[in-house]
């Protein structure tokens, strides 16, 4: 059993091919990089339309899989940018019709949990999902993945990207800020914005820009932003563990590539006697393999959609999606 998965929720177009044992047989990805500013949804969608056909061929070739050996086609149905989602969904529908294979809708956030869950071998971990557009603490309970805490304004990655662009850099900002932060020495005071189980970043963005205008160095700003923002995420993750009486955490999303975030969460979890797992970076960022793997799980539980009911859902909530492959 082999599933081909298509990811296109935001800046990354990606096709992954995964076996029923969760072996990643082949992945081909291409990220849209705006020459200046942030992501423009329609430009990103045009990029995806252009690259996806080739990515399908590349993924098949890397996986040594022929089209007729693909048993199902999965696609990210949401949440994400409408035009980008539609580009991926259109390719998935076409392949499903051309190959006569079932079409499997997948929630992007659930896919981050599922790939981390299978790779970690942890049965019921909490997910800290820290990406460009999303920042959520997710845990399974009674038939669904529940969002226990999340950002009240922008996603952490968008915050890092905006800040870096304002400081004169280019998208994506997270990896560049990580390098800059290693040179920082002074911890500047920034708004620490935790509200119960939720976080917010726009105040920190404003304060960082004000500090920049008054002469703070880029390395010190990067260092202070990382320490403060990741402490906020670590705090709400710890509170979620305590409330849910859980002891395992997996990470997902592009910001989960960050070494400081990984270390801070690991120290917190291990301090509580639990286990932390972060997937390899290529599977933390948006990728087709996680969509394919979740497609396997959904397909195994009888989930599929006819093409006419396969509209994308840009605002699809993690906690509204049924996950019949998980026992209650
Ligand atoms: P995603 O939306 O999950 O594909 O993740 C993209 C986001 O991850 C962008 O906002 C990047 O700036 C951010 N990102 C990628 N690598 C890192 C890193 N090493 N540290 C912090 N943020 C990162
Ligand atoms: Mg993502």
């Amino acid at each position: 059993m082999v599933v081909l998965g298509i990811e296109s929720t935001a800046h990354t177009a990606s096709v992954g091919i995964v076996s029923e044992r969760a072996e990643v047989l082949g992945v081909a990805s291409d990220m849209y990089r705006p020459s200046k500013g942030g992501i423009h949804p329609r430009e990103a969608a045009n990029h995806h339309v252009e690259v996806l056909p080739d990515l399908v061929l590349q993924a098949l070739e890397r996986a040594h899989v022929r089209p007729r050996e693909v048993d199902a086609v999965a696609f990210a149905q949401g949440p994400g940018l409408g035009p980008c989602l539609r580009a991926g969904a259109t390719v998935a529908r076409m392949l499903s019709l051309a190959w006569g294979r079932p079409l499997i809708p997948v929630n992007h956030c659930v896919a981050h949990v599922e790939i981390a869950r299978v790779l970690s071998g942890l049965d019921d971990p909490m997910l800290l999902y820290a990406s460009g557009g999303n920042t959520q603490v997710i845990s399974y309970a009674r038939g669904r993945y529940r969002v226990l805490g999340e950002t009240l304004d922008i996603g952490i990655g968008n915050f890092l990207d905006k800040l870096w662009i304002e400081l004169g850099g280019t998208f994506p900002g997270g990896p560049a800020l990580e390098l800059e932060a290693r040179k920082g020495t002074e911890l500047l005071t920034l708004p620490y914005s935790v509200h119960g189980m939720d976080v917010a970043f726009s105040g920190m963005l404003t304060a960082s820009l004000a500090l920049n205008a008054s002469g703070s160095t880029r390395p010190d700003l990067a260092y202070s932003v990382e320490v403060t923002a990741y402490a906020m995420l670590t705090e709400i993750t710890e509170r979620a563990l305590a409330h849910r009486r859980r002891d395992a955490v997996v990470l997902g999303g592009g910001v989960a590539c960050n070494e400081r975030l990984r270390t801070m969460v690991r120290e917190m979890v291990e301090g509580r006697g639990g286990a932390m797992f972060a997937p390899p970076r290529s599977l933390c960022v948006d990728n087709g393999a996680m969509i394919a793997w979740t497609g396997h799980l959904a397909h195994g539980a009888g989930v599929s959609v006819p093409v006419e009911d396969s509209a994308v859902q840009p605002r699809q909530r993690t906690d509204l999606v049924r996950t019949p492959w998980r026992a209650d």
Side-chain angles (χ1 to χ4, degrees):
M1 175 87 193
V2 165
V3 176
L4 180 145
I6 299 183
E7 158 63 33
S8 73
T9 55
H11 45 66
T12 298
S14 176
V15 178
I17 297 175
V18 174
S19 77
E20 78 272 16
R21 286 184 301 172
E23 294 152 316
V24 178
L25 303 175
V27 184
S29 306
D30 196 311
M31 185 177 170
Y32 160 74
R33 289 171 192 272
S35 46
K36 74 187 225 306
I39 305 176
H40 188 290
R42 198 154 299 280
E43 281 174 18
N46 289 344
H47 162 268
H48 298 348
V49 169
E50 230 162 79
V51 300
L52 272 169
D54 257 350
L55 295 179
V56 171
L57 296 176
Q58 274 175 38
L60 286 167
E61 198 173 307
R62 285 180 192 165
H64 302 291
V65 163
R66 280 170 297 205
R68 78 176 105 92
E69 294 168 319
V70 172
D71 297 286
V73 178
F75 71 104
Q77 189 175 32
L81 305 169
C84 297
L85 286 166
R86 280 191 284 278
T90 303
V91 174
R93 288 179 198 121
M94 189 207 70
L95 294 178
S96 157
L97 290 173
W99 296 343
R101 294 291 189 250
L103 182 63
I104 320 285
V106 167
N107 174 278
H108 175 90
C109 309
V110 169
H112 276 291
V113 189
E114 292 299 356
I115 193 75
R117 195 161 72 91
V118 68
L119 295 176
S120 68
L122 298 166
D123 178 45
D124 188 23
M126 187 89 57
L127 173 77
L128 172 58
Y129 174 30
S131 76
N134 298 288
T135 306
Q136 299 182 328
V137 178
I138 295 172
S139 172
Y140 176 80
R142 296 184 309 283
R144 288 171 195 204
Y145 284 103
R146 313 280 168 169
V147 177
L148 302 184
E150 64 189 316
T151 179
L152 298 173
D153 47 31
I154 51 178
I156 174 131
N158 286 355
F159 157 61
L160 300 173
D161 295 336
K162 273 181 209 265
L163 175 61
W164 187 244
I165 290 165
E166 291 285 339
L167 295 179
T170 53
F171 177 89
L177 270 169
E178 176 164 30
L179 296 178
E180 197 79 346
R182 292 192 190 145
K183 297 181 260 167
T185 50
E186 194 193 340
L187 185 60
L188 308 164
T189 304
L190 290 167
Y192 184 91
S193 204
V194 171
H195 307 273
M197 288 299 300
D198 299 323
V199 289
F201 297 107
S202 52
M204 202 186 311
L205 179 61
T206 309
S208 306
L209 296 178
L211 282 170
N212 178 243
S214 61
S216 295
T217 68
R218 238 166 51 162
D220 284 346
L221 269 171
Y223 168 62
S224 309
V225 159
E226 281 206 345
V227 169
T228 310
Y230 299 157
M232 287 160 48
L233 297 184
T234 307
E235 179 187 332
I236 60 167
T237 307
E238 178 165 28
R239 189 170 309 114
L241 288 175
H243 283 314
R244 295 278 296 135
R245 298 180 204 278
R246 293 291 192 276
D247 60 5
V249 174
V250 292
L251 299 184
V255 183
C257 293
N258 186 279
E259 207 50 58
R260 188 186 310 275
L261 177 63
R262 288 175 176 227
T263 305
M264 287 170 74
V265 176
R266 175 170 286 114
E267 283 175 0
M268 177 275 287
V269 175
E270 290 180 354
R272 302 175 57 85
M276 195 286 274
F277 174 82
R281 287 177 172 72
S282 62
L283 297 177
C284 273
V285 298
D286 291 349
N287 66 88
M290 68 182 190
I291 305 298
W293 171 242
T294 311
H296 265 289
L297 297 171
H299 182 257
V303 177
S304 72
V305 275
V307 164
E308 56 274 25
D309 296 337
S310 64
V312 300
Q313 296 183 26
R315 296 186 178 277
Q316 187 176 59
R317 289 278 309 176
T318 310
D319 37 16
L320 291 180
V321 177
R322 284 181 51 250
T323 54
W325 58 89
R326 288 213 57 173
D328 254 318

